[in-house]
Amino acid sequence: MPVAFVVGAAGFIGSHLVEKLLEKGVQVVGCDNFYTGKRENLTEAGKSKDFHLLSQTLPTATDLNLPRLDYAVFVVSEDISPDEYEKNLNKFLELCTLHKSKTVLCSSVDLYDSKQEIPENLKQAEIRLADVALTQKINARVVRLSAVFGPRMHFRSNDPMIRLIKSAARNKLNEEQTPLEFTTRALFISDAVNLLIKALMHGSTAQKIYDGCLLEPIKVSEIKQLLMDPVWYEEKGFKATELPPWPTPNLNKTIKELSWKPHAQIIASLKETLAFFKEHPDLTPKVVIEDKKPSKPWQFSKLDKIEDDAKEDLSEKKKDKVKVQKLKINSSRIKHQTVTLIGVIIIFFALIFPVLRFCVSAFEVKTHLDNSIKQTSLGNFDEAVNESNMAIGDARFLIDSFSSLSFVKNIDFLNKPYRTIEQALVLVSQTTDANLHTVSGAKMLAGAMSVISGEKAGDSTLLFNDAKTELAAADSEIGQVSANLENQEFTNQIPVALQQNLDFIKSKISAYHQTINLGRALIDLLPQIIATDGEKSYLVVLQDNRNLRPGGGSIRAYSLVTFNQGKLKEIKADMVENLDSSYVARIDPPVELKNDLGESNWRLKDAAFDPDFPTSARNIIWFFGKESGVKVSGVVTLDLESVSKLIEAVGSLKTDSGMEINSSNVYQKVALTRDGNKTSAEVLKVLVERVFYLSKQNWVTLAKNSEESLIQKHLLIYLTDPNAFSYLSARNWTGGMPVQIKEKAGERNESLALSEVNMTQGQDSTAIERSMNVESTIDDKGVVSHKLTLDYAPSEKLTGPYKTRLKIYLSGGTKMLKTTWGGKIIKDISSFSDFGKFGYSMLLELGVGEQKQLVLEYQDVAPVKFENNQMKYQLAINKQVGSLSIPTNFKLIFPQNIKAESGLIIGAGDVSISSQLSQDRVFEVILKK
């Protein structure tokens, strides 16, 4: 449990704060010497096993040895001697510095009023806190409160409400002579404590000052009426007279940053306060003898002077009235200036101020949304939720403000602009709602992961269900927003004040979709994976895609992840070399391994030797079962590219051997040597542990990079459970080789796939820069001829000759016409048939600094046929698992009597499309006669 330290725990505010912290599941260590506090105030807190009390002054607590301290609050009465106050504060700050705890100093809003008599203690305390926070880097903030009232209250404040409550508790209200023209901003204790906790637990409040008081003052005369007969006024539905707001300097910031507002109802608060003192007459203040002298010169003496103060206030008020009467001047010039000034003020507040406030709120929506996304990406979900709520509040303000102008929609020329802005505001509001749902879903998903890892107790199933609901709502909202933003006519009419908001939303739509999609996928998959009613193990393998294989790369290391009863049981990791070397059975390898690489035995290292990843995954599971004796329920493969992307999200890694691994040096550190195998195992182990155990994940980057790796086939998943595997296949996360599609009338479906095997020990497949061009020509008779050109250019990383076995998969029903490598015809080329496609296999060699071209010319056996003078021509290119991105150009040439009409592609004679083969690509052109 988190631990809070409250100095002044037995005081009025301190005791209520202690009780609220205990309610929130926080252990509380309270400190009080009962100089101004009362032991009776801690009666309820004392019933909790999580409350611990030090009955002493803080400086004497020399043996205070807390194992941890998350929160610390200083609520010491400001009216003790300056020397005593300073000693307590210094000891308190020393403790906070030691534990780096979140710290709050409770102060007073009266510090804003230079006319108020404020004990020097508070001024010095704030200065001291700011100095220590700056030099010692402690997470500290100040909360300045107005007068506070409620059960257990003291009566040391000079606020008129406090005086009235005291008189009512003494049944002396009729005798009360407090000037009733005054107003009060006194705060009920529940609202004050709520503010202290929000400031304490909020993550981004360090080095700030927050104010707590009523937003609108209340007349003292009305408070007196309520105290005389609260029941009658409650039945009549009392409403305080609306008075102009009088915000303190930091009140608006407090409302927005902490989402705090006073919620206590005035009548209920007064009734609760009076009921307490009726039940505890011994705590009701006695009649004060005016001649009584304070026992100590620094003690608060306002109780002794309050009667005289009231009389002085009345006298001063009378003097003020006389002054006002003397200042009355009947000069017409003064009257005219006054009327003009009032007119200017009315125009400003009626027209200009709302427009300025509207523009400011529009800017703040964007700011809060941006902050929320940033905090979510850092795993600071409470801060992200808070920023989301503030964005929602600003969006609501925009809509409410604009609604006041609804009369203009009845004016013809203003109707359309009004509707446009109204729709834009709805989009902004939908986005703020979607953002809150996204953040809430991510927070619950992170909570479920913490339960699975054992970091926290709880029910992951409930958290998954709640996260699913939140993310579904987010998906629905963001889908509507995305659809509307695609309407160019609508977005062009948006006024400048809102344009930035919509541009910002457009720029974040993709991030929202990625976070939502990956989150929903995890929610669907994880409950099936974590074995809620048994035990399951999964294999995570690290492939070296520099040593390219048809199924990704040679396997360097593995990690075995085991779940039991819905919780992570253990994570093991080791080099694959250790498993392979201990297995003695002989297994005949594939032809390429035997003939090209001279392997006489097939082992786990080269198990990913099929271009269809599910087939390679089943081989990996089989080999691992044979070599380790462990049966697994699925396999996840990572190559060095995906490891680099994951490190971007979870932060740099430090291996057991002390090596620092970051996203930019992972290729270099995991060398193509035996030491590289050991490093691979260490990197994989730390990475898997970081994903499961890191409390604050960079969720936005993790979602983005994981999805990119899955789509680009650098990260792939295979599960033995048929339902789970079907789900993965539907999302194209399994890297399967697509089978030949049967064509319909008016269609031509071409396919192309490449599969390479690095056959050079110690050379790097990624050291070869590749590019691809496909040119397809349809002649007058509908016959389609193709020319595939592959350019190979070694980079400086290639240190010796490079040899590769290349397999090319083409559509079924094609015939090879000619194949050249470096301008020379390849004679040693073999054909095969697989996945319903025609394939060709060839051996390619490339010297250091040598650039070569592979050119294949082939033709479709069957001519194309148009249906209703239209045909869809499609080329699907399948990216090899583990391969890097390849610049790819596709050109389709056709007769002059045919035109291309497809999306942005409109042309006659030919069309060209350029892209990067970073993932499976489909080039599609609609041809019309």
Side-chain angles (χ1 to χ4, degrees), residues 660-720:
E660 292 281 350
I661 306 291
N662 56 49
S663 59
S664 59
N665 71 4
V666 65
Y667 273 94
Q668 174 190 350
K669 296 294 184 181
V670 181
L672 288 166
T673 62
R674 190 181 187 284
D675 288 341
N677 290 342
K678 181 182 177 183
T679 304
S680 298
E682 291 181 348
V683 168
L684 183 61
K685 178 177 180 289
V686 178
L687 179 61
V688 174
E689 289 176 343
R690 184 71 65 86
V691 169
F692 278 104
Y693 291 117
L694 185 63
S695 297
K696 289 190 174 183
Q697 294 281 15
N698 187 330
W699 283 91
V700 173
T701 305
L702 186 62
K704 173 179 174 290
N705 292 2
S706 297
E707 188 173 42
E708 282 183 7
S709 293
L710 285 162
I711 291 172
Q712 295 174 5
K713 300 184 181 180
H714 295 296
L715 163 64
L716 292 171
I717 309 170
Y718 176 83
L719 299 175
T720 58

Side-chain angles (χ1 to χ4, degrees), residues 15 71 79 129 391 477 486 489 633 706 727 732 750 826 831 836 912:
S15 61
Y71 309 112
D79 18 287
L129 180 73
E477 294 273 12
E486 290 176 3
E489 182 181 354
S633 299
S706 297
Y727 181 86
N732 196 28
E750 307 280 8
I826 300 178
S831 61
S912 296

